[in-house]
Amino acid sequence: MKIKCLIIDDEPLAIKIIKKHLESFEDFEVTHTFNNPIEAFNILAQEPIDLVFLDINMPRLNGIEFIRNLTTSPYIIITTAYREYAVESFELDVLDYLVKPISLKRLMKALNKVSHQINLKTDFKNEGYKGIARHKKNNHFFVKVNKKMVKIHFNDILYIESLKDYVSIKTINKDYITHYNLSAITKLVPKFDFMRIHRSFTIALNKVNAIEGNCVHIHNKMIPIGRNYVKEVKGKILSGFVM
């Protein structure tokens, strides 16, 4: 099955370069290209698109605003001449951040990430992800650690930290490292008990001991709250406190 791609860039040459690179990868198919990001919203609402290559500095609506207004969830790869938006982009869960001029070698690395995530999602839907199996009673899941399936109770989890292509699940007694994506594993834990607070951290809300500035304390660990998460995180945590 082809991975359907959409390219949004106000520079025709940039679109041409990405399309040319993608011709070397038979699993990827460019179905649409746009110079205007607003026009792309209609297609994303009407057709299943797997991957969006997105420029940042564009007229009328920049790439960051585009992501924040999305109602669908395609994978996003940023393609830009500017490095300074990288942190903000990753806080919005982009899969990769490519700085122009984009080489074929660098694009290949980004496409490998896309293929990996799509394969994980397909395995999970079709047969239950081999690395993580969620229990029907929703009080624990099994995580693949060093070729073993290890049971982890949700109530034992303190926080989950992203380690690029892996995550570290910190529990009361032990750490577990598994080959998984933070965004995906966050969807497997109870949404009322856990919250993504940073591009690198998801926390158990009831394990927060204190809030200090834009950080939370959990078992002597100070965890930063991402700039785009601050208001929502503090509101949710403090709503459970007696003032």
Side-chain angles (χ1 to χ4, degrees), residues 78-116:
I78 294 292
T79 57
T80 180
Y82 302 91
R83 297 178 182 274
E84 60 264 31
Y85 299 102
V87 172
E88 187 173 7
S89 297
F90 281 117
E91 287 183 348
L92 294 171
D93 290 336
V94 303
L95 196 61
D96 211 336
Y97 191 97
L98 307 184
V99 178
K100 299 174 183 177
I102 300 167
S103 68
L104 180 61
K105 181 179 179 180
R106 181 64 183 87
L107 180 65
M108 184 185 301
K109 183 177 179 180
L111 296 182
N112 283 336
K113 291 183 181 181
V114 176
S115 296
H116 178 68

Short mmCIF file of all heavy atoms in Angstrom, two decimals, residues 78-116:
data_model
loop_
_atom_site.label_atom_id
_atom_site.label_comp_id
_atom_site.label_asym_id
_atom_site.label_seq_id
_atom_site.Cartn_x
_atom_site.Cartn_y
_atom_site.Cartn_z
N ILE A 78 8.49 18.77 8.74
CA ILE A 78 8.74 20.19 8.46
C ILE A 78 9.88 20.31 7.46
O ILE A 78 10.91 19.63 7.57
CB ILE A 78 9.10 20.96 9.75
CG1 ILE A 78 7.90 20.99 10.72
CG2 ILE A 78 9.57 22.37 9.44
CD1 ILE A 78 6.74 21.82 10.23
N THR A 79 9.72 21.17 6.46
CA THR A 79 10.77 21.45 5.49
C THR A 79 10.95 22.98 5.45
O THR A 79 10.07 23.69 4.99
CB THR A 79 10.40 20.94 4.08
OG1 THR A 79 9.16 21.52 3.66
CG2 THR A 79 10.23 19.42 4.11
N THR A 80 12.06 23.46 5.94
CA THR A 80 12.22 24.90 6.10
C THR A 80 13.67 25.32 6.00
O THR A 80 14.59 24.49 6.16
CB THR A 80 11.67 25.35 7.48
OG1 THR A 80 11.83 26.76 7.62
CG2 THR A 80 12.39 24.65 8.61
N ALA A 81 13.88 26.60 5.72
CA ALA A 81 15.23 27.15 5.70
C ALA A 81 15.65 27.67 7.06
O ALA A 81 16.78 28.13 7.24
CB ALA A 81 15.31 28.28 4.66
N TYR A 82 14.75 27.59 8.04
CA TYR A 82 15.00 28.19 9.36
C TYR A 82 15.09 27.12 10.44
O TYR A 82 14.22 26.28 10.57
CB TYR A 82 13.88 29.17 9.70
CG TYR A 82 13.74 30.27 8.66
CD1 TYR A 82 12.87 30.10 7.57
CD2 TYR A 82 14.47 31.44 8.75
CE1 TYR A 82 12.74 31.09 6.61
CE2 TYR A 82 14.35 32.43 7.79
CZ TYR A 82 13.48 32.25 6.72
OH TYR A 82 13.37 33.23 5.76
N ARG A 83 16.14 27.20 11.25
CA ARG A 83 16.36 26.22 12.32
C ARG A 83 15.62 26.58 13.61
O ARG A 83 15.39 25.71 14.45
CB ARG A 83 17.86 26.09 12.62
CG ARG A 83 18.68 25.58 11.46
CD ARG A 83 20.16 25.53 11.80
NE ARG A 83 20.96 25.08 10.68
CZ ARG A 83 21.20 23.81 10.37
NH1 ARG A 83 20.70 22.86 11.15
NH2 ARG A 83 21.92 23.49 9.33
N GLU A 84 15.25 27.84 13.77
CA GLU A 84 14.80 28.31 15.08
C GLU A 84 13.41 27.82 15.48
O GLU A 84 12.99 28.02 16.62
CB GLU A 84 14.83 29.85 15.15
CG GLU A 84 13.97 30.55 14.12
CD GLU A 84 14.74 30.97 12.88
OE1 GLU A 84 15.71 30.26 12.52
OE2 GLU A 84 14.38 31.99 12.28
N TYR A 85 12.69 27.18 14.57
CA TYR A 85 11.35 26.69 14.91
C TYR A 85 11.35 25.22 15.34
O TYR A 85 10.29 24.64 15.56
CB TYR A 85 10.40 26.86 13.72
CG TYR A 85 10.20 28.28 13.27
CD1 TYR A 85 10.86 28.77 12.15
CD2 TYR A 85 9.37 29.15 13.97
CE1 TYR A 85 10.69 30.08 11.73
CE2 TYR A 85 9.18 30.46 13.56
CZ TYR A 85 9.86 30.92 12.44
OH TYR A 85 9.68 32.22 12.03
N ALA A 86 12.53 24.62 15.44
CA ALA A 86 12.61 23.18 15.69
C ALA A 86 11.96 22.77 17.01
O ALA A 86 11.15 21.84 17.05
CB ALA A 86 14.06 22.72 15.65
N VAL A 87 12.28 23.45 18.09
CA VAL A 87 11.74 23.07 19.40
C VAL A 87 10.23 23.19 19.41
O VAL A 87 9.52 22.27 19.85
CB VAL A 87 12.36 23.94 20.52
CG1 VAL A 87 11.65 23.68 21.84
CG2 VAL A 87 13.85 23.66 20.66
N GLU A 88 9.71 24.31 18.91
CA GLU A 88 8.27 24.52 18.89
C GLU A 88 7.58 23.47 18.01
O GLU A 88 6.50 22.97 18.35
CB GLU A 88 7.96 25.92 18.36
CG GLU A 88 6.49 26.30 18.45
CD GLU A 88 6.24 27.75 18.08
OE1 GLU A 88 7.20 28.43 17.62
OE2 GLU A 88 5.10 28.21 18.23
N SER A 89 8.22 23.10 16.91
CA SER A 89 7.63 22.11 16.01
C SER A 89 7.55 20.74 16.67
O SER A 89 6.52 20.06 16.59
CB SER A 89 8.47 22.01 14.72
OG SER A 89 8.45 23.22 14.01
N PHE A 90 8.61 20.32 17.35
CA PHE A 90 8.60 19.01 17.99
C PHE A 90 7.62 18.96 19.15
O PHE A 90 7.08 17.90 19.48
CB PHE A 90 10.01 18.61 18.44
CG PHE A 90 10.87 18.09 17.31
CD1 PHE A 90 12.01 18.76 16.93
CD2 PHE A 90 10.51 16.94 16.63
CE1 PHE A 90 12.81 18.29 15.89
CE2 PHE A 90 11.29 16.45 15.59
CZ PHE A 90 12.44 17.14 15.22
N GLU A 91 7.36 20.10 19.78
CA GLU A 91 6.34 20.14 20.83
C GLU A 91 4.95 19.91 20.25
O GLU A 91 4.02 19.54 20.96
CB GLU A 91 6.40 21.47 21.58
CG GLU A 91 7.60 21.58 22.51
CD GLU A 91 7.61 22.87 23.31
OE1 GLU A 91 6.82 23.78 23.01
OE2 GLU A 91 8.43 22.95 24.26
N LEU A 92 4.81 20.12 18.93
CA LEU A 92 3.55 19.87 18.24
C LEU A 92 3.54 18.49 17.58
O LEU A 92 2.71 18.20 16.73
CB LEU A 92 3.31 20.96 17.20
CG LEU A 92 3.07 22.37 17.76
CD1 LEU A 92 3.05 23.40 16.64
CD2 LEU A 92 1.77 22.42 18.54
N ASP A 93 4.50 17.65 17.97
CA ASP A 93 4.55 16.24 17.55
C ASP A 93 4.87 16.03 16.07
O ASP A 93 4.41 15.05 15.48
CB ASP A 93 3.24 15.52 17.89
CG ASP A 93 3.05 15.33 19.38
OD1 ASP A 93 4.06 15.33 20.09
OD2 ASP A 93 1.90 15.19 19.81
N VAL A 94 5.65 16.93 15.46
CA VAL A 94 6.08 16.64 14.10
C VAL A 94 7.03 15.45 14.14
O VAL A 94 7.72 15.21 15.14
CB VAL A 94 6.78 17.86 13.43
CG1 VAL A 94 5.87 19.07 13.45
CG2 VAL A 94 8.12 18.17 14.09
N LEU A 95 7.07 14.69 13.06
CA LEU A 95 7.89 13.48 13.04
C LEU A 95 9.35 13.80 12.76
O LEU A 95 10.25 13.13 13.26
CB LEU A 95 7.34 12.50 11.99
CG LEU A 95 7.84 11.07 12.09
CD1 LEU A 95 7.45 10.45 13.42
CD2 LEU A 95 7.26 10.24 10.96
N ASP A 96 9.60 14.83 11.94
CA ASP A 96 10.98 15.21 11.65
C ASP A 96 11.02 16.66 11.20
O ASP A 96 9.99 17.26 10.86
CB ASP A 96 11.59 14.30 10.58
CG ASP A 96 13.09 14.12 10.78
OD1 ASP A 96 13.74 15.00 11.41
OD2 ASP A 96 13.63 13.11 10.30
N TYR A 97 12.22 17.23 11.21
CA TYR A 97 12.43 18.65 10.91
C TYR A 97 13.61 18.73 9.95
O TYR A 97 14.76 18.49 10.34
CB TYR A 97 12.72 19.40 12.21
CG TYR A 97 12.71 20.91 12.12
CD1 TYR A 97 11.57 21.63 12.47
CD2 TYR A 97 13.84 21.61 11.71
CE1 TYR A 97 11.56 23.02 12.41
CE2 TYR A 97 13.83 23.00 11.65
CZ TYR A 97 12.69 23.69 12.00
OH TYR A 97 12.69 25.07 11.94
N LEU A 98 13.35 19.02 8.69
CA LEU A 98 14.38 19.05 7.66
C LEU A 98 14.70 20.49 7.28
O LEU A 98 13.81 21.27 6.96
CB LEU A 98 13.93 18.28 6.42
CG LEU A 98 13.43 16.85 6.64
CD1 LEU A 98 13.12 16.19 5.30
CD2 LEU A 98 14.43 16.03 7.43
N VAL A 99 15.98 20.82 7.31
CA VAL A 99 16.44 22.16 6.97
C VAL A 99 16.91 22.17 5.51
O VAL A 99 17.72 21.34 5.09
CB VAL A 99 17.57 22.62 7.90
CG1 VAL A 99 18.07 24.02 7.51
CG2 VAL A 99 17.09 22.62 9.36
N LYS A 100 16.37 23.12 4.74
CA LYS A 100 16.75 23.25 3.33
C LYS A 100 18.18 23.76 3.19
O LYS A 100 18.62 24.55 4.03
CB LYS A 100 15.79 24.22 2.63
CG LYS A 100 14.34 23.78 2.63
CD LYS A 100 13.46 24.88 2.06
CE LYS A 100 11.98 24.50 2.11
NZ LYS A 100 11.11 25.59 1.63
N PRO A 101 18.90 23.35 2.16
CA PRO A 101 18.52 22.40 1.10
C PRO A 101 18.50 20.97 1.65
O PRO A 101 19.38 20.58 2.41
CB PRO A 101 19.62 22.59 0.05
CG PRO A 101 20.81 23.06 0.83
CD PRO A 101 20.27 23.91 1.95
N ILE A 102 17.49 20.22 1.24
CA ILE A 102 17.27 18.88 1.77
C ILE A 102 17.95 17.84 0.87
O ILE A 102 17.63 17.74 -0.32
CB ILE A 102 15.76 18.58 1.88
CG1 ILE A 102 15.10 19.59 2.81
CG2 ILE A 102 15.52 17.15 2.37
CD1 ILE A 102 13.59 19.59 2.74
N SER A 103 18.87 17.10 1.45
CA SER A 103 19.57 16.08 0.67
C SER A 103 18.74 14.79 0.61
O SER A 103 17.88 14.55 1.46
CB SER A 103 20.93 15.77 1.30
OG SER A 103 20.77 15.13 2.56
N LEU A 104 19.02 13.97 -0.36
CA LEU A 104 18.33 12.69 -0.49
C LEU A 104 18.63 11.80 0.72
O LEU A 104 17.74 11.11 1.24
CB LEU A 104 18.77 11.98 -1.77
CG LEU A 104 18.13 10.62 -2.06
CD1 LEU A 104 16.62 10.74 -2.19
CD2 LEU A 104 18.73 10.01 -3.32
N LYS A 105 19.86 11.85 1.21
CA LYS A 105 20.25 11.04 2.37
C LYS A 105 19.46 11.44 3.60
O LYS A 105 18.98 10.58 4.36
CB LYS A 105 21.75 11.21 2.62
CG LYS A 105 22.26 10.38 3.78
CD LYS A 105 23.76 10.58 3.95
CE LYS A 105 24.30 9.78 5.14
NZ LYS A 105 25.77 9.97 5.31
N ARG A 106 19.30 12.75 3.83
CA ARG A 106 18.56 13.21 5.01
C ARG A 106 17.08 12.88 4.88
O ARG A 106 16.42 12.52 5.87
CB ARG A 106 18.77 14.72 5.19
CG ARG A 106 18.06 15.30 6.42
CD ARG A 106 18.62 14.72 7.70
NE ARG A 106 17.90 15.21 8.88
CZ ARG A 106 16.82 14.64 9.37
NH1 ARG A 106 16.32 13.54 8.79
NH2 ARG A 106 16.24 15.13 10.44
N LEU A 107 16.54 13.02 3.67
CA LEU A 107 15.14 12.68 3.47
C LEU A 107 14.90 11.20 3.71
O LEU A 107 13.89 10.80 4.28
CB LEU A 107 14.71 13.06 2.05
CG LEU A 107 13.26 12.75 1.71
CD1 LEU A 107 12.31 13.59 2.55
CD2 LEU A 107 12.98 13.00 0.23
N MET A 108 15.85 10.37 3.30
CA MET A 108 15.71 8.93 3.49
C MET A 108 15.56 8.59 4.98
O MET A 108 14.75 7.75 5.37
CB MET A 108 16.94 8.21 2.93
CG MET A 108 16.85 6.69 2.99
SD MET A 108 18.38 5.87 2.45
CE MET A 108 18.50 6.51 0.78
N LYS A 109 16.34 9.27 5.82
CA LYS A 109 16.25 9.04 7.25
C LYS A 109 14.86 9.40 7.78
O LYS A 109 14.27 8.67 8.59
CB LYS A 109 17.31 9.88 7.98
CG LYS A 109 17.35 9.66 9.49
CD LYS A 109 18.47 10.47 10.12
CE LYS A 109 18.51 10.26 11.63
NZ LYS A 109 19.60 11.06 12.26
N ALA A 110 14.29 10.51 7.29
CA ALA A 110 12.95 10.92 7.71
C ALA A 110 11.90 9.93 7.24
O ALA A 110 10.97 9.59 7.98
CB ALA A 110 12.65 12.32 7.17
N LEU A 111 12.04 9.44 6.01
CA LEU A 111 11.07 8.49 5.47
C LEU A 111 11.12 7.16 6.21
O LEU A 111 10.09 6.48 6.35
CB LEU A 111 11.31 8.28 3.98
CG LEU A 111 11.11 9.51 3.09
CD1 LEU A 111 11.34 9.15 1.63
CD2 LEU A 111 9.74 10.13 3.27
N ASN A 112 12.29 6.79 6.68
CA ASN A 112 12.39 5.56 7.49
C ASN A 112 11.58 5.69 8.78
O ASN A 112 10.97 4.72 9.24
CB ASN A 112 13.86 5.26 7.82
CG ASN A 112 14.61 4.66 6.65
OD1 ASN A 112 14.00 4.06 5.77
ND2 ASN A 112 15.92 4.81 6.64
N LYS A 113 11.58 6.89 9.36
CA LYS A 113 10.77 7.12 10.56
C LYS A 113 9.29 6.96 10.25
O LYS A 113 8.54 6.37 11.03
CB LYS A 113 11.03 8.53 11.11
CG LYS A 113 12.40 8.75 11.71
CD LYS A 113 12.50 10.15 12.29
CE LYS A 113 13.86 10.42 12.88
NZ LYS A 113 13.95 11.79 13.47
N VAL A 114 8.88 7.51 9.11
CA VAL A 114 7.48 7.40 8.70
C VAL A 114 7.08 5.95 8.51
O VAL A 114 6.06 5.48 9.03
CB VAL A 114 7.23 8.19 7.40
CG1 VAL A 114 5.79 7.99 6.93
CG2 VAL A 114 7.52 9.67 7.59
N SER A 115 7.89 5.21 7.78
CA SER A 115 7.60 3.80 7.52
C SER A 115 7.52 3.01 8.82
O SER A 115 6.63 2.17 9.00
CB SER A 115 8.67 3.19 6.61
OG SER A 115 8.68 3.81 5.34
N HIS A 116 8.43 3.32 9.73
CA HIS A 116 8.45 2.62 11.02
C HIS A 116 7.16 2.87 11.80
O HIS A 116 6.54 1.94 12.33
CB HIS A 116 9.66 3.07 11.83
CG HIS A 116 9.75 2.47 13.20
ND1 HIS A 116 10.00 1.13 13.41
CD2 HIS A 116 9.59 3.02 14.43
CE1 HIS A 116 10.00 0.88 14.70
NE2 HIS A 116 9.76 2.01 15.34
#
